[in-house]
Amino acid sequence: MIYLDNNATTRILDEVWDTMTPYFIQNYANASSVYHQMGREANAAIQLARGQIAEVLNCSPKELFFNSGATESINTVICGIFDKYQSKGNHIITVSTEHKAVLSCCEQLTKKGAQITYLPVDAQGMINIDDLKNAMSAQTILVCIMAANNETGVCTSLAQIATICTEKDILFFCDATQAVGKIDIDLQKIPIDLLCLSAHKLHGPKGIGALYIRRKSKPIQITPLIVGGGQEGGFRGGTYNVPAIVGFGKAMSLIKPTSYNTVERNRNLLEEILSAIPEIIIHGKNVPRLPNTSYISFKHILASEIMTTCPALALSSGSACVTGSREPSHVLMAMGISKEDALSAIRFSLSIFTTQEDIIRCAQLITEAVRKIRDQSPIWQLFKAGLID
C-alpha cells in the first residue's frame, strides 16, 4: 500500500523506536521514583527530551509541559484560560477552519457564557488581518489560530498575528501540530504565548504531545485540566510515559524543514500529473502551504468512490478526527466551496518516506479511477452535455 495519509499520522522513525525500546524493557522505572537509580535515569531521559524539543522551538525547557497530545493541549488552554481570565473578559477569537477540537471547545464554552468570534476565510483559506483587528475588544482574552491547516495545508501569518496580539495584550494560542518539523517556528522571533504539538505528526510515537507556555513577567494563568501527583510542576498530573517522551524528543531532533525539500518536489509532481484530469480544484494552491499537503476536489465524483476504487492507496477525505462523518469538510465549506465539490475532495499528505515512484503510481491509479467512474456517471454525462455546471 502507498501511504499518503501522513497528516493523520506518520510512520515512526527507526532511530526513534530504537531510542524508546530500552525504556519498555530495561529501564522501565517510574520517572517520579527519584530515590533509586533507575527512576533517576528515567527522569533524566525526560529532561533530555524536553531539552531536545526546546532546542528546535528555541524556547526554555521550563516552558514545555508534556501531555497526551494536541487535543488535550487545546482543551487545557481554551478551557483553562477562560476559567482564569473571566475577570478580564469572556471573548475568544478563532477561525472557522480550525481543528474540530478547537471548535468543539469553543462551542462548549458558549454554554458557560463565552462569546466566540469565528473569523471567516477567503477562497484560499486565508484570514483577513483586518478582520482579526476589528474583532478584538477590551473583553478579548484569547486568540486561537492554527499555524497550518490540517486539511488544506494552508499556512498562517504567525509573526503578524502574534505581534498584533502582543500589542493588544491579548494571549495568542497556536495549534502548530501540522507545522512543527515542516516549517520553521522560532519562539524567540515569533511572540506566540501558547503553542501545542504532537509527536505522531513528525515520525514520533502516538499519544504524546507538549504544550508550550511562554514565561512572562506576569505569568500566564491556566487551570489544569488533569490534576494528580504533581507531575509537570502540578500543571499536568499522571505517570510519565517515558518511552513516548524519549521518542518525541528524538523525533524532534531528527525532523527538520530541510527534510521536506524532496517531499515538496514530489507533492508538486503529483499535482502536475493530476492537473491533466479535467475539472479538478487544488485547494490553497496560490498561497503558502505545507510542503507535503495537497487537497484536491475531483468534480462530479464522490471522494469515497475514488478511494474505494483505489485500495492500494491510503488516502483520506479530510481530518482523521472526523472519521466516518458523511458531512462535507467544514474547512472547504468555510472557503466557499460547494457541498458537492467538498464531498469530492481527497487529501494527499506525503512524508519523507514517500518516493517519486509512489507518486507516479498514485497518480496513475487516481487518473484511471476518475476516468472509470466518470465514464459510468450520468452526472458527468450531463455536465459534458452542458446541462449542469
Side-chain angles (χ1 to χ4, degrees), residues 262-282:
T262 300
V263 177
E264 185 169 18
R265 287 194 292 271
N266 284 333
R267 190 274 308 273
N268 293 343
L269 174 63
L270 175 67
E271 293 183 351
E272 180 183 343
I273 299 173
L274 293 182
S275 291
I277 300 173
E279 298 298 317
I280 70 166
I281 307 168
I282 302 175

Side-chain angles (χ1 to χ4, degrees), residues 78-79 82 92 104-114 116:
I78 296 178
C79 297
F82 180 75
I92 296 172
S104 296
C105 279
C106 289
E107 183 181 352
Q108 288 294 316
L109 287 182
T110 59
K111 301 172 184 177
K112 298 181 179 181
I116 312 293

Side-chain angles (χ1 to χ4, degrees), residues 142-206:
L142 182 67
V143 169
C144 180
I145 299 178
M146 66 196 337
N149 190 270
N150 52 301
E151 296 188 20
T152 62
V154 169
C155 297
T156 302
S157 302
L158 291 182
Q160 190 176 15
I161 293 168
T163 300
I164 293 167
C165 290
T166 300
E167 291 171 351
K168 297 287 188 179
D169 193 27
I170 296 170
L171 294 174
F172 174 36
F173 171 44
C174 177
D175 171 8
T177 311
Q178 292 292 347
V180 170
K182 301 184 184 87
I183 61 175
D184 282 316
I185 297 179
D186 186 330
L187 292 172
Q188 292 304 310
K189 295 180 179 178
I190 308 175
I192 297 168
D193 296 302
L194 306 118
L195 177 143
C196 68
L197 60 157
S198 291
H200 74 107
K201 304 295 188 181
L202 42 90
H203 300 283
K206 298 177 184 67

Side-chain angles (χ1 to χ4, degrees), residues 309-336:
T309 307
C310 299
L313 301 178
L315 300 166
S316 72
S317 57
S319 173
C321 296
V322 289
T323 298
S325 172
R326 295 187 180 183
E327 292 300 310
S329 160
H330 74 282
V331 173
L332 293 183
M333 296 293 283
M335 291 165 60

